Amino acid sequence: MPTARGPMDVKIEAESPFLERDGLKLNRNVVRKVFSGDMVGSSEAQMIAALTATPGSAGYVAIEHFSGSVGGRSGSFVLQHRGVMNRGDALLEVTIVPDSGTGELAGISGTLEIHNEEGQHSYVLDYELA
């Protein structure tokens, strides 16, 4: 399975919570990324997040559209995010939506890991092209 790696720049535009009740906050964010390395391009995501009253516990879901190239092949695809934090322990699953690939990325499948070390973001995309 091929792997794409590299840095990415992440910008988050957070909106005010649309619901605040019983110690919970729900809000929507727009997340824009610029990828370099083995993935070259940009993406935009719509994210819905839930913050609890317990420090380090939260959850989010997002749909992200990437446009650019992976391993020298150009096109676009959609990523689906599911993130959960349980008192600081994080679980993040990011999967390419089946049949969302276009252009030379048609038929792409795989998963994306996101790393954040001291504010510096990077990615690892394990993918296959049909």
Side-chain angles (χ1 to χ4, degrees):
M1 177 176 282
T3 299
R5 301 172 190 274
M8 64 182 177
D9 183 48
V10 178
K11 302 280 188 232
I12 299 174
E13 297 173 15
E15 294 183 2
S16 298
F18 61 83
L19 184 134
E20 291 187 69
R21 189 177 303 145
D22 303 324
L24 301 173
K25 291 182 184 179
L26 303 182
N27 74 307
R28 180 177 160 272
N29 302 309
V30 176
V31 182
R32 292 184 175 86
K33 298 176 187 166
V34 176
F35 294 81
S36 27
D38 299 325
M39 279 176 76
V40 177
S42 60
S43 71
E44 182 171 316
Q46 297 288 321
M47 176 172 78
I48 303 291
L51 303 171
T52 73
T54 303
S57 291
Y60 89 92
V61 294
I63 295 292
E64 177 177 3
H65 180 264
F66 169 83
S67 182
S69 66
V70 177
R73 295 177 151 198
S74 63
S76 65
F77 57 87
V78 175
L79 295 157
Q80 179 177 315
H81 296 239
R82 183 179 83 82
V84 176
M85 287 195 59
N86 183 357
R87 299 176 187 220
D89 291 330
L91 170 66
L92 176 60
E93 297 173 340
V94 184
T95 304
I96 296 174
V97 173
D99 300 314
S100 66
T102 67
E104 295 175 313
L105 297 176
I108 192 168
S109 62
T111 59
L112 180 81
E113 293 177 22
I114 297 173
H115 302 276
N116 182 0
E117 295 186 27
E118 298 179 18
Q120 300 298 310
H121 289 89
S122 62
Y123 66 86
V124 176
L125 177 72
D126 291 318
Y127 68 97
E128 289 187 76
L129 281 162

